[in-house]
Every structure is written in C-alpha cells, then in structure tokens.
Amino acid sequence: MTPATPARAALIALDWGTSSLRAYRLDGTGRTLDTRHLPWGIMRLPQPLQDGAASTALSGFDLAFDQACGDWLRAEPSLPVIACGMVGSAQGWREAAYLDVPVDLARIGTLLTVVERTGAGPDATPLHIVPGLIQRHGLPNVMRGEETQVFGVMFDQAEKSGANAADSVLIGLPGTHSKWVTARRGRVTHFDTFMTGEVYAALRGHTILGRTMSDAPAADMAAFERGVKVAGAPAGRAGVLSTIFSTRALGLTGELAATSQADYLSGLLIGHEIAALAQMLHEQGERPRIVLCGDPALCQRYILAMQHYGLGTPEQAQNATERGLWHLAVCAGLVKAEPSAAGQRYAPPTPSASVQEPT
C-alpha cells in the first residue's frame, strides 16, 4: 500500500515566549497540520555544544529554532517563518520595535523585523518577527504576543460575520498578565493590563497566605465564587490589599478549608479585576461585545466573574495565536492572500515584509 503524501505546508509559525516555544506548520488555508511544544523560552535556551576550545557557531536561539522546525524546513526549504512573542523583546533574538497605539492591525504585518540566520549558513531561512504594541498616553503600557491573538480574533470575527462585523470588540486575554484590548474596525485603540496571574502565583508561593494552603484533588468552584463575590461586596471597597488577607483569616477561623483557600484567593483576584473592568466600562458608557481568548479552564473562571458583575457571557475564541500569525503573514506578503471579504479588509494591497521603522 502506497503511503499517503503528507499535506504541503505554506507557512511555519512560532509562538516564542519567555518560558516556552510553540511551533505550527500551516497549510495554504491557514489550517494547522502539525504542532510542537518545546521548553525553549527566551530565558531558557539549549546550550551550544563545547568541543575543547571551540564551540558551534550556532546560538541558543538557532538551536531552539532548529529543534522546533528544522526538519520541516529541510523537507520544504521555501517555507517562510513568522514568530511572535518575547523573541522580539530586548532579551530576545532581535528586538522588534514597538508600534504606537492606536494602530491599524493590518499595519502590524507590514513592519516585521527580519532575522538573517547567518550562523546557520548563507541559505538559511530568515525569521520574521512581529512587533509588540506600546501605549504612551496615560500610564505607559506594552504587550508582546497578545497583538497577534487580537489580530486572529478580529480577523476570524470578520470572516464569520462579514467585513462590517467586529466594529467594536473588547478582547480579554486572561493569563499571567491579563490584557483587555479595545479594537474598533480593525484598529487597536486602547488596552489595560492586570497582573492577576503573576500576583496569584507570588501570593501563593511567597507569602504567609500560602502557608495554610494545601493542594486539592479538584477545583473548589464554590470557594472561587465566594472570592468573586467578596471583591464586589462592601468589604471589597477597601481594595485588594485588604481583602486578600481574608484568605488566611477565614482559614484560621475554620470557615475555609486549607484545600479551598487557593481557589478562594483566585476568586478574589479575578473578582477585583472584573469589578474594576465593569466600573471602567460603566464610566465610559460602553457595552462592547466581549471575546475571551486563553486557557479554557481559566476562561471559565473569568466567565463566572463576568456574569456576576453584569458583563454577560462572552464569546470564546479558539486557536487565536496561530490564526493571527497566519493572517499577519498574509498581510506581510509571506503567503498568498485568500480572496475573501475579510481578507480584503485587513490585507494591504501591496504588502511588504521588509524591515521598517515605525512612525
């Protein structure tokens, strides 16, 4: 029996963060053919092999790149490669300058930073890095990687509902540093950052609150919802610095089991985040359509909090990172644009993938 011919790819897309590297092999429609997850974030790269006084000319970035997609490129050498995330930070492979908000999403794809992989040979496939976004008005704010997820969400929203869809969307990206991004007609206009995930990890692992906690066999969602409600109760008006101590006090008084305290703390922190978000939207007089993008279990927690604070049940986006990388590659001219109303909306008529300085 003749083996089936592997589907041909059109693009390799990398989501390269601080702690991990995800690689996607995408076909001509943007569909994912293969996925790999490696531990090689920018702060933990493979080390070049030492041979006496000499060592390989390849850097840790080159070695991680080769493990992620080297065999794919050897099989299909003409594939372009695009990457988003912290690989474009000052600590990354090559710094990709931030673009100022507000910014048109389609413009992001025309301002990629190119890394010529000279250590891997003169014919090595270059890497195209997506720039992050910076917000300078008010308190400064930055993002790297999330802009690609936003692009994927907005593009797919438009594809589903037509070119005039997604005129105003609030995109929530829960995680270590949760982002809430306002996008209007294909343009990022504002975003806020909440360090909810990192603060939770720090409080649990490095403060007295964690001393009375113990691991639970399953999540205690009742304890989580209790924390969500406390954040918006009269006691919550004292602020998060006051309410988090109740995690310990409830345990000492026997009102909260050790196995429930972590979920209660999670509810408190997410509750304060969503209560603040709801208040901001109220003051702005806005009721935008909300889309969540992230880990399904974490998104479910955010949905419960949003329902409690009157924000309704948001939509949930799937595969936003790889979808965003695909559509950015189309805008950059790295892959051929598909003829569609949504594609015409976002793709510039004469895209360029060359290095450009933002203006």
Side-chain angles (χ1 to χ4, degrees), residues 28-325:
T29 66
R31 180 173 61 95
T32 301
L33 301 174
D34 296 295
T35 303
R36 288 174 179 165
H37 186 195
L38 292 88
W40 305 131
I42 67 161
M43 303 306 290
R44 182 176 178 269
L45 295 167
Q47 296 301 306
L49 295 175
Q50 300 294 323
D51 183 11
S55 66
T56 176
L58 295 178
S59 68
F61 285 104
D62 274 306
L63 294 171
F65 180 94
D66 187 69
Q67 289 186 34
C69 59
D71 58 332
W72 292 344
L73 287 171
R74 284 186 283 275
E76 298 178 89
S78 62
L79 291 179
V81 186
I82 188 171
C84 70
M86 292 299 288
V87 68
S89 69
Q91 296 76 38
W93 201 341
R94 178 78 55 79
E95 186 171 7
Y98 287 112
L99 303 183
D100 283 281
V101 170
V103 63
D104 290 329
L105 286 166
R107 186 166 178 264
I108 298 173
T110 69
L111 293 168
L112 306 184
T113 293
V114 181
V115 178
E116 299 291 351
R117 299 172 47 246
T118 54
D123 298 322
T125 303
L127 174 68
H128 301 80
I129 301 179
V130 178
L133 302 183
I134 186 167
Q135 183 171 271
R136 300 182 191 274
H137 54 275
L139 289 175
N141 213 336
V142 295
M143 68 167 77
R144 278 200 190 274
E146 293 92 351
E147 76 294 318
T148 300
Q149 293 176 293
V150 169
F151 197 102
V153 170
M154 291 294 289
F155 197 102
D156 283 353
Q157 288 281 313
E159 276 192 334
K160 291 175 183 176
S161 304
N164 293 322
D167 283 345
S168 181
V169 179
L170 179 63
I171 301 170
L173 304 158
T176 304
H177 299 160
S178 296
K179 305 285 185 182
W180 292 92
V181 184
T182 300
R184 292 186 174 91
R185 301 188 178 185
R187 186 174 177 83
V188 173
T189 58
H190 180 83
F191 63 95
D192 295 289
T193 301
F194 293 80
M195 289 181 60
T196 307
E198 185 167 0
V199 169
Y200 169 79
L203 290 172
R204 184 174 180 181
H206 301 285
T207 73
I208 197 170
L209 299 183
R211 300 288 180 86
T212 57
M213 294 180 185
S214 61
D215 293 333
D220 186 342
M221 296 310 293
F224 171 81
E225 292 189 56
R226 182 178 184 178
V228 167
K229 293 174 182 177
V230 167
R237 294 173 189 161
V240 66
L241 293 179
S242 172
T243 57
I244 56 175
F245 191 73
S246 65
T247 306
R248 175 175 173 80
L250 287 169
L252 293 175
T253 57
E255 297 182 57
L256 192 64
T259 53
S260 301
Q261 290 173 25
D263 285 311
Y264 173 80
L265 177 61
S266 171
L268 274 177
L269 295 176
I270 292 176
H272 278 290
E273 176 182 338
I274 299 304
L277 179 69
Q279 182 62 30
M280 287 190 296
L281 293 175
H282 174 74
E283 292 173 356
Q284 295 163 8
E286 294 190 9
R287 292 284 297 184
R289 187 161 84 257
I290 301 176
V291 180
L292 279 186
C293 175
D295 174 77
L298 182 58
C299 283
Q300 186 57 41
R301 291 182 178 237
Y302 273 78
I303 289 170
L304 291 172
M306 293 171 75
Q307 290 171 337
H308 177 74
Y309 286 100
L311 296 180
T313 303
E315 302 173 42
Q316 288 184 264
Q318 305 294 326
N319 307 317
T321 300
E322 53 263 52
R323 295 293 291 160
L325 284 166

